[in-house]
Amino acid sequence: MYTDPDDFKRARSVGANAPVEFAAWRAFQDAVDREDGAVPRRYRELISVAVALVTQCAYCLDVHTAAARRHGVTAEELAETAFVTAAVRAGGTLAHALMADRLYEEHGH
């Protein structure tokens, strides 16, 4: 993977090429960063870390792990989040395997 933290500096220039879409994306990010939501910020960051693990976005993982730490998430909470995420992701694989099994049978008829 060719990730580089300096890539973050490119966001504004990439966004300038698609201003409407960039503004919509920023609005999503602003929702994540809310301090006044029903879901506390530390939980928002744990959710964000879990999603970053599933999507395998190194940049999101960097940003949200740092934010999680700033908002009081412990190393133990981060580790449990990682394993819960892995288990749920494995469940998704099983769910698709069950569908594949059904489709296999249906294609045989």
Side-chain angles (χ1 to χ4, degrees):
M1 193 165 213
Y2 300 98
T3 57
D4 183 338
D6 285 339
D7 287 347
F8 288 124
K9 296 173 186 172
R10 297 175 175 273
R12 281 192 174 78
S13 64
V14 171
N17 291 324
V20 172
E21 292 79 2
F22 186 62
W25 177 81
R26 279 295 322 153
F28 274 131
Q29 189 57 47
D30 291 343
V32 172
D33 295 341
R34 279 182 55 193
E35 299 289 348
D36 61 344
V39 175
R41 181 67 188 272
R42 65 193 313 267
Y43 297 152
R44 288 171 180 267
E45 293 305 336
L46 284 171
I47 292 166
S48 297
V49 167
V51 171
L53 290 168
V54 170
T55 61
Q56 299 181 352
C57 177
Y59 299 110
C60 294
L61 193 58
D62 183 5
V63 168
H64 293 293
T65 300
R69 187 173 182 123
R70 281 194 313 275
H71 286 87
V73 169
T74 66
E76 293 81 7
E77 290 171 317
L78 188 64
E80 286 185 17
T81 296
F83 284 109
V84 168
T85 302
V88 172
R89 184 65 182 124
T93 301
L94 175 59
H96 279 87
L98 300 176
M99 183 171 44
D101 185 64
R102 176 178 52 81
L103 292 169
Y104 179 84
E105 287 181 9
E106 288 175 5
H107 288 296
H109 293 119

